[in-house]
Amino acid sequence: MAQPLAERLRPRTLDDYIGQKHLVGENAVLRKMIEAGRITSFILWGPPGVGKTTLAQIIANRLETPFYTLSAVTSGVKDVRDVIEKAQKGRFFNEASPILFIDEIHRFSKSQQDSLLGAVERGIVTLIGATTENPSFEVIRPLLSRCQLYVLKSLDKDDLLQLLDRAIHTDIMLRERNITLKETAAMIRYSGGDARKLLNILELVVEASPEGDVVITDDIVVSRLQQNPLAYDKDGEMHYDIISAFIKSIRGSDPDAALYWLARMIEGGEDPKFIARRLVISASEDIGLANPNALLLANAAFDAVNKIGWPEGRIPLAEATVYLATSEKSNSAYLAIDKALDLVRRTGNQPVPLHLRNAPTKLMADLGYHDGYLYPHDYPGHYVAQQYMPDALKGQQIWQPQPHSASEARIAERIEKWKDGKMEKLKN
């Protein structure tokens, strides 16, 4: 049975490797290490199909040292320990450390990652990990601190076109078909910068074509695939990157960019309720008291999506997105609650002043609970100066109105009038 095209075309040397010039181009850091024949432990982080496993295999071919491979999907702690024991027994004095390549290292549990620490630290093995997920979230800190981190990028259009050209002209099976790439936009779009996916698409289209010469067009690719090229893994990195771009565009008051990222999520099949929840959070975090109606509108959009469903739900989501993006912004409430939480954690359980305590029993009243409390509604403007903070925190200011917000400026002005004592006690 013939190997898949992606496997047949897997590069064996750095000169055949496509993309990642910042890592393996001339005088780049990884190329220098590989050519010197000595590498340190490192983790390769990047999306699928950009050459992480291939790079590890090129290192295995280039360096004259034992090379062990584990998959985090199928391996357990025992497998890790077995490999470490083999590496330790098979190593000769002054010989370079054996290499242990772990694919999808983010899938290793904490205990599995812990089992690697000692061997990496003592140089029993040189670790190469590959991951599609952010290592700062998925790899334990002690292990991450012992490894260099190299970020691989999605292949760009030129890289993908180079790969297509190599495939149709050098692969022993494809070159017999006399393939013409009349149009490539659909294949590039569907691949999403993933070399493996691109080659799988090419192979599928060629195999589905009649015998003889093959002319590939965008229409042929679309008809063969019948799938959404914009879909993405809801648990993957792109999910978080796109929602981050969406929220930051709203925060940055750019309605066009916010609508673009909203459309990306809709086309990618994102859960509408997830988008609506983020709008509610943004209305509170980024707009807040500068425009309290933003929270009402975001909640209304959430409610509307639940009521009317899809695809009409995209309309209230778009309305809320534009409204939030074009609204005045203030994060004073967001900053204030974090400041208050920090104050509580630093100062502990401060006692409630007696005059603020409830006195439902005679004993409590005799102890002074509620004694001296001034009822604000008995005073002009429904305000009277009195202590509300614990004694140890008297005078502490937490909320800071932001002067650029017209709404908060009015609130600040009203507070200052209260504090200046311009409201006199009502005459009894």
Side-chain angles (χ1 to χ4, degrees):
M1 188 176 188
Q3 289 182 311
L5 175 61
E7 193 58 38
R8 298 199 303 270
L9 281 185
R10 189 182 292 276
R12 302 292 186 264
T13 68
L14 286 180
D15 291 335
D16 293 332
Y17 190 85
I18 293 176
Q20 317 308 331
K21 296 299 183 187
H22 63 296
L23 296 178
V24 297
E26 188 177 355
N27 293 321
V29 58
L30 268 180
R31 179 179 280 270
K32 283 185 175 180
M33 281 202 303
I34 294 168
E35 290 178 345
R38 289 256 177 193
I39 64 169
T40 58
S41 293
F42 61 84
I43 293 175
L44 300 171
W45 171 30
V50 296
K52 299 185 294 295
T53 302
T54 296
L55 196 52
Q57 291 182 352
I58 288 174
I59 292 171
N61 293 336
R62 178 66 187 259
L63 302 184
E64 295 181 358
T65 184
F67 190 91
Y68 301 96
T69 299
L70 290 176
S71 169
V73 177
T74 58
S75 303
V77 172
K78 182 180 183 300
D79 299 299
V80 175
R81 288 176 178 160
D82 287 347
V83 167
I84 291 172
E85 187 178 349
K86 288 178 185 176
Q88 199 166 14
K89 288 180 178 178
R91 184 181 176 188
F92 294 101
F93 185 71
N94 274 343
E95 187 181 52
S97 301
I99 294 170
L100 172 57
F101 174 67
I102 300 180
D103 197 16
E104 299 190 83
I105 194 171
H106 61 277
R107 293 179 180 265
F108 259 8
S109 66
K110 183 180 182 300
S111 61
Q112 289 171 308
Q113 294 184 39
D114 281 336
S115 66
L116 290 168
L117 274 176
V120 173
E121 191 170 40
R122 298 195 304 273
I124 295 173
V125 295
T126 297
L127 174 67
I128 301 178
T131 176
T132 57
E133 302 297 327
N134 190 328
S136 61
F137 298 140
E138 307 295 341
V139 178
I140 60 173
R141 188 176 297 275
L143 185 58
L144 193 59
S145 69
R146 289 163 174 78
C147 300
Q148 294 293 320
L149 177 63
Y150 299 117
V151 181
L152 283 74
K153 305 172 184 177
S154 296
L155 300 186
D156 61 25
K157 182 180 178 181
D158 289 341
D159 292 332
L160 296 171
L161 290 176
Q162 182 184 349
L163 182 60
L164 285 174
D165 184 73
R166 178 181 295 176
I168 64 174
H169 289 110
T170 66
D171 180 68
I172 191 169
M173 297 177 69
L174 292 191
R175 64 188 183 191
E176 295 177 358
R177 297 297 304 272
N178 191 26
I179 300 168
T180 301
L181 298 174
K182 186 175 181 181
E183 295 172 329
T184 57
M187 280 197 291
I188 299 296
R189 187 173 73 252
Y190 276 97
S191 74
D194 182 328
R196 187 185 306 108
K197 186 178 289 187
L198 179 72
L199 293 175
N200 288 343
I201 292 169
L202 175 61
E203 191 169 35
L204 184 153
V205 172
V206 171
E207 288 178 351
S209 300
E211 290 296 324
D213 295 353
V214 179
V215 178
I216 297 178
T217 65
D218 291 342
D219 286 342
I220 289 174
V221 172
V222 171
S223 67
R224 294 284 189 274
L225 296 184
Q226 293 294 313
Q227 58 176 297
N228 181 4
L230 298 175
Y232 55 85
D233 181 3
K234 307 305 181 302
D235 295 321
E237 187 76 18
M238 188 179 291
H239 164 81
Y240 298 102
D241 287 345
I242 289 181
I243 194 62
S244 175
F246 176 61
I247 294 301
K248 286 172 181 172
S249 299
I250 291 175
R251 183 181 299 145
S253 302
D254 189 333
D256 299 312
L259 285 169
Y260 169 79
W261 295 116
L262 174 62
R264 281 285 299 273
M265 288 188 286
I266 291 171
E267 284 297 293
E270 187 61 80
D271 181 359
K273 292 179 183 178
F274 172 77
I275 302 172
R277 282 195 295 271
R278 300 305 305 181
L279 286 170
V280 172
I281 295 168
S282 177
S284 295
E285 179 181 343
D286 296 314
I287 296 164
L289 295 171
N291 181 5
N293 285 331
L295 182 56
L296 299 177
L297 188 71
N299 268 302
F302 198 159
D303 189 44
V305 168
N306 280 327
K307 286 180 178 177
I308 66 178
W310 214 242
E312 289 81 1
R314 75 191 189 283
I315 303 170
L317 287 180
E319 179 183 354
T321 295
V322 174
Y323 185 86
L324 268 57
T326 56
S327 175
E328 279 192 275
K329 306 295 191 296
S330 171
N331 65 344
S332 66
Y334 169 64
L335 295 176
I337 186 56
D338 283 352
K339 186 176 179 181
L341 288 168
D342 178 66
L343 181 63
V344 167
R345 289 162 186 156
R346 285 188 291 105
T347 59
N349 295 325
Q350 295 294 323
V352 177
L354 285 176
H355 67 283
L356 297 182
R357 299 186 190 186
N358 192 26
T361 69
K362 183 177 182 301
L363 175 61
M364 290 178 172
D366 290 343
L367 291 173
Y369 283 33
H370 194 70
D371 188 29
Y373 173 66
L374 304 176
Y375 188 56
H377 295 298
D378 287 342
Y379 296 82
H382 304 272
Y383 175 84
V384 62
Q386 66 181 319
Q387 179 187 333
Y388 292 101
M389 291 288 274
D391 292 340
L393 302 177
K394 186 177 179 180
Q396 179 79 44
Q397 185 175 1
I398 294 177
W399 179 66
Q400 297 281 352
Q402 298 185 351
H404 65 268
S405 164
S407 174
E408 293 192 33
R410 289 193 296 271
I411 295 172
E413 183 181 1
R414 184 165 66 248
I415 291 174
E416 285 305 311
K417 285 182 179 179
W418 286 336
K419 289 182 177 179
D420 287 345
K422 294 180 180 178
M423 308 295 188
E424 295 181 1
K425 185 177 180 179
L426 287 172
K427 304 296 183 184
N428 291 328

